[in-house]
Amino acid sequence: MQYRIIRRDGEQRWVTENANVLTVETDRYVVGTLSDITQQRQAQEHGRDLSLLFETLIRSPSFSVAVFDGNQREVMVNASLCRRIGFERDSLVGSPASLFCQLPEAAMASGRPDAPADGPLFVSEAFALRHRDGRTLQTTAELWSLPSTMGTGSLLMVLPTPQS
């Protein structure tokens, strides 16, 4: 059972409680534990917040977003990018990035020890997207390394521009 407690100093803590009945011959004992899980709960809440933020970004009509695995294959793409380059989402997921763009060598650094810890792997004000009909669309894009907890990969964010 998990619940919140309030300490004498007013601080709230989350705890988990377990109790078991132990029978030894004719005697019965209750053996229990109470563990502080406040940090675990805070990490879960932080993870939910980040998940909502990421979902908002993915659903944004303003930003075109693609997520690539360590082999530069499409893992996730939002509707905005699909509209911009004329592809259906199903035809992109699992496909190589080269289908609609050329990722720089920085993308291959994603997940490696020499990848930047903070900031994008690259920023380009002249990033070329290839439309399904063959046109080249010049735009501004950023490529970010995915957090190590998500595995190796990268996140491409194509920013809104008048040309696209």
Side-chain angles (χ1 to χ4, degrees):
M1 175 186 311
Q2 292 183 5
Y3 54 91
R4 258 184 335 177
I5 61 170
I6 300 175
R7 295 178 11 164
R8 288 183 192 149
D9 63 4
E11 182 182 7
Q12 294 184 15
R13 306 296 291 181
W14 279 94
V15 296
T16 185
E17 177 182 0
N18 289 313
N20 293 303
V21 177
L22 179 65
T23 304
V24 177
E25 297 178 7
T26 59
D27 296 325
R28 297 176 102 192
Y29 302 94
V30 176
V31 179
T33 59
L34 186 67
S35 302
D36 184 344
I37 58 166
T38 304
Q39 288 183 334
Q40 184 180 359
R41 289 287 294 225
Q42 289 170 340
Q44 289 171 341
E45 289 172 15
H46 182 68
R48 274 193 298 275
D49 292 346
L50 288 177
S51 179
L52 289 172
L53 179 65
F54 188 67
E55 185 177 330
T56 301
L57 177 66
I58 291 292
R59 291 182 181 199
S60 169
S62 301
F63 294 101
S64 298
V65 179
V67 178
F68 303 100
D69 66 13
N71 296 317
Q72 293 189 352
R73 292 203 167 274
E74 190 73 40
V75 176
M76 182 186 301
V77 60
N78 73 350
S80 175
L81 183 60
C82 290
R83 279 191 304 277
R84 188 176 266 189
I85 61 176
F87 283 92
E88 294 294 322
R89 183 176 300 166
D90 292 342
S91 66
L92 290 174
V93 174
S95 299
S98 60
L99 182 64
F100 66 90
C101 70
Q102 186 61 47
L103 295 179
E105 279 299 309
M108 296 311 290
S110 176
R112 292 193 337 219
D114 58 341
D118 294 328
L121 295 169
F122 86 90
V123 176
S124 173
E125 293 183 8
F127 188 73
L129 291 175
R130 277 191 296 284
H131 194 276
R132 187 170 151 226
D133 66 10
R135 288 182 291 141
T136 299
L137 308 170
Q138 293 295 322
T139 189
T140 301
E142 296 179 354
L143 186 73
W144 294 78
S145 180
L146 291 178
S148 60
T149 55
M150 296 177 72
T152 53
S154 51
L155 170 81
L156 177 70
M157 243 179 30
V158 181
L159 307 176
T161 59
Q163 296 98 340
S164 55

